[in-house]
Amino acid sequence: MTDVKPAGAAKTIAPNPDAGVQAAKGAEDLQQGQNAAPAQRKTPVPAAQKNMGTAGPAAAQPSDVPPKRKAPVKPTETAQKVVTLGKTDEQRARTAGLQRKRRNKLWLSFVLLVLIPIGLVTYYYSAIATDRYAARAGFSIRGIEAGVGLDGLGALTGLASAGSTTADTYIVLDYLESRRLLEDVDARLSLREVFSDLSIDFLTRLDADAPIEDFVTYWNRRIRTQSDPTSGIIEFEVQSVSPEHAQQIGTAVLELTQNLVNELSASARQDALSFAREEVALQETRLRESLDRIRDFRNSEQSVDPTASAALEIQLLSGLESRLIDINARIAAQRESLDENAPSLVALRRQAEALSEQIDTRRLEIGGSLLNEAGTSAVTEQLAAFETLDVERRLAEQSYASALNSLEQARRDADRQQRYLAVHVRPQTPEKSEYPRRVRNILLASFMFFAVWGIGTLLTYSVRDHLT
């Protein structure tokens, strides 16, 4: 029994030294990266020491209870933990390599998407971009209006309402960017030939065979307009590759705009006067026709004015009747004192008879003893016809006079509404190029490239983190 027990003790103690060393190494590793339970780190060492201490004769006591086999299992579990810790280091190394690759890709994308484009933009604006010179002009549209009233806003600000010229202002602004203006300026200064010259850089050069629509788009990039609705001031700026040409373009644009305003003013004046002139022409034709009918009537009736003739006849008849009444009164007075055969009384009777005959004749002429075929008095019909023609003539004269007054009023209104171009800034020859604005454009391009790259990077990392 004594020989067997040490053998059993030796079998129990044999694996303990290696297990102790492994446990010690595991404890050191666990102190660096993991927080293991203290009981698991300290359990193998006391078990080995206890088995080594009881390996003497005292351990050779009769063993009624079988020996415990749990001590050798604990170092095995610790060894398994040590193996697991070795795999984590490999994963860390692999992760570090992936991070280095990602950082390299990130720097590569920054170089390709930010640094190289910024370098190209800087090179273009520094060495390739063609200088452009700008000429400016300013004007306003004014009217010759007297006694312009103040609206609600004008009563508060003290400024007259500019609504009468607002429409003209918008028309001029649209004209400055129109095809009509471009074609007129091109006919004067050969814009297509200048803007398509090979000395201009390829990004700002116009294609020599470009259609008119592309030419208008190109022109709108070379002219800038602005207006102030309060004051009605309009300003424009034109650009060209030489100072002299820019000044010539500005002068031509200003002259053509002035011609447009004059055309608008003349057209408005013509529209305002056209109706009044048509009315005057109509009433004048009516009056001429009335006068022609009166002239034909006078020629046919051999009477200048039948109404005046009739009035004269009536006046003569009244005079004859007055004389007859006077003679009859004298006859009545002399009959009381004279004989019927008295010479003076006989003379008075003869005068009374002569006057009576003249009165009867005049009455027959005026009253219409001369009847026409229809049984109507010729004089009465003549007077009625003439009065009708005379009334028509008077109405035509009044209508014609009213039409003339309306025409004169329309002419005064048109004169007050006349527009003209008041130029306060004329184009001058520039001495320094203002475009392109190199520093500003380079900074804007840098910000844009960096912003696009940054937003794309954030989105890429967000999507990848979401997927992992």
Side-chain angles (χ1 to χ4, degrees):
M1 292 179 65
T2 305
D3 297 332
V4 174
K5 289 180 180 179
K11 290 180 180 179
T12 305
I13 296 171
N16 287 339
D18 297 334
V21 174
Q22 293 177 358
K25 293 181 179 179
E28 293 177 358
D29 294 334
L30 289 174
Q31 288 177 0
Q32 297 177 0
Q34 297 180 355
N35 293 324
Q40 292 179 357
R41 291 199 308 265
K42 295 178 181 181
T43 300
V45 177
Q49 294 177 357
K50 185 177 181 181
N51 291 331
M52 292 177 65
T54 57
Q61 295 179 0
S63 57
D64 297 335
V65 180
K68 295 181 179 181
R69 301 291 184 179
K70 294 181 180 180
V73 176
K74 292 181 179 180
T76 305
E77 294 177 357
T78 306
Q80 291 178 356
K81 291 182 179 181
V82 172
V83 172
T84 304
L85 291 174
K87 292 181 180 179
T88 303
D89 292 337
E90 293 178 358
Q91 292 178 356
R92 289 179 179 176
R94 188 180 299 108
T95 303
L98 292 176
Q99 290 179 353
R100 284 194 298 272
K101 291 181 180 179
R102 291 174 182 174
R103 284 194 294 269
N104 293 335
K105 291 181 180 179
L106 184 63
W107 279 107
L108 180 61
S109 64
F110 182 77
V111 171
L112 294 176
L113 300 179
V114 179
L115 294 182
I116 292 178
I118 291 176
L120 293 176
V121 171
T122 303
Y123 175 74
Y124 168 76
Y125 282 110
S126 301
I128 300 177
T130 304
D131 293 335
R132 299 196 303 272
Y133 299 85
R136 297 177 180 84
F139 58 87
S140 59
I141 301 176
R142 293 289 180 260
I144 314 175
E145 293 188 358
V148 179
L150 296 179
D151 54 8
L153 181 61
L156 297 176
T157 61
L159 298 176
S161 176
S164 56
T165 58
T166 301
D168 296 336
T169 300
Y170 286 112
I171 291 173
V172 170
L173 289 175
D174 185 68
Y175 173 73
L176 291 175
E177 299 178 354
S178 66
R179 174 178 174 177
R180 175 185 172 186
L181 174 65
L182 176 60
E183 291 177 346
D184 293 340
V185 177
D186 187 25
R188 292 188 179 187
L189 302 175
S190 301
L191 293 182
R192 183 184 290 270
E193 181 180 354
V194 173
F195 289 142
S196 61
D197 190 82
L198 296 179
S199 61
I200 303 176
D201 65 271
F202 61 95
L203 290 181
T204 58
R205 183 171 59 242
L206 174 68
D207 187 5
D209 299 330
I212 187 62
E213 290 78 11
D214 296 342
F215 194 13
V216 172
T217 303
Y218 183 87
W219 167 255
N220 290 333
R221 294 198 298 266
R222 296 294 174 265
I223 184 171
R224 297 181 179 180
T225 60
Q226 62 179 2
S227 64
D228 186 3
T230 303
S231 61
I233 295 176
I234 302 174
E235 295 181 353
F236 70 88
E237 175 189 273
V238 292
Q239 304 174 16
S240 185
V241 294
S242 65
E244 295 77 11
H245 195 253
Q247 191 270 340
Q248 293 174 3
I249 293 176
T251 303
V253 170
L254 190 61
E255 291 178 358
L256 293 172
T257 304
Q258 189 170 7
N259 294 338
L260 174 66
V261 173
N262 294 336
E263 291 177 2
L264 293 175
S265 180
S267 178
R269 179 184 177 87
Q270 184 65 26
D271 293 340
L273 296 179
S274 60
F275 178 77
R277 288 175 177 172
E278 292 177 358
E279 186 67 19
V280 168
L282 179 62
Q283 298 303 327
E284 184 178 358
T285 302
R286 177 185 175 186
L287 180 59
R288 290 181 182 276
E289 293 177 354
S290 177
L291 294 176
D292 291 339
R293 286 194 295 268
I294 292 176
R295 185 175 60 253
D296 295 338
F297 176 82
R298 288 172 177 174
N299 294 332
S300 62
E301 299 296 333
Q302 297 296 321
S303 175
V304 176
D305 190 353
T307 303
S309 300
L312 182 59
E313 293 291 337
I314 293 173
Q315 184 178 2
L316 292 175
L317 180 61
S318 299
L320 293 175
E321 289 179 347
S322 298
R323 288 178 62 188
L324 180 59
I325 292 172
D326 181 57
I327 291 174
N328 288 332
R330 289 172 62 187
I331 291 172
Q334 289 184 6
R335 278 180 180 177
E336 295 178 357
S337 60
L338 296 177
D339 185 17
E340 291 292 336
N341 295 324
S344 58
L345 189 59
V346 172
L348 290 174
R349 288 196 193 100
R350 289 177 180 177
Q351 290 180 1
E353 292 175 359
L355 289 174
S356 297
E357 291 178 359
Q358 290 182 1
I359 290 173
D360 293 339
T361 303
R362 294 295 180 182
R363 286 180 176 176
L364 290 175
E365 292 179 358
I366 296 174
S369 61
L370 301 175
L371 302 178
N372 55 13
E373 298 178 354
T376 306
S377 173
V379 176
T380 303
E381 184 178 359
Q382 184 181 17
L383 288 174
F386 181 79
E387 288 176 354
T388 301
L389 295 175
D390 187 61
V391 170
E392 291 180 358
R393 179 186 61 81
R394 291 179 182 179
L395 292 177
E397 287 177 351
Q398 293 177 0
S399 299
Y400 181 69
S402 177
L404 288 177
N405 292 332
S406 299
L407 177 61
E408 187 64 24
Q409 182 65 32
R411 183 178 289 107
R412 288 194 295 268
D413 294 341
D415 292 338
R416 286 196 300 267
Q417 296 176 1
Q418 187 176 359
R419 301 288 180 264
Y420 66 94
L421 201 68
V423 181
H424 60 273
V425 177
R426 294 190 176 275
Q428 302 295 329
T429 303
E431 297 181 356
K432 181 182 178 181
S433 64
E434 298 185 16
Y435 300 96
R437 296 178 178 175
R438 292 175 171 82
V439 177
R440 189 194 68 174
N441 293 342
I442 291 173
L443 293 178
L444 288 177
S446 301
F447 175 77
M448 180 184 66
F449 291 137
F450 185 79
V452 171
W453 174 82
I455 293 173
T457 303
L458 291 177
L459 292 177
T460 302
Y461 274 86
S462 299
V463 172
R464 187 176 61 192
D465 294 342
H466 179 72
L467 293 177
T468 56

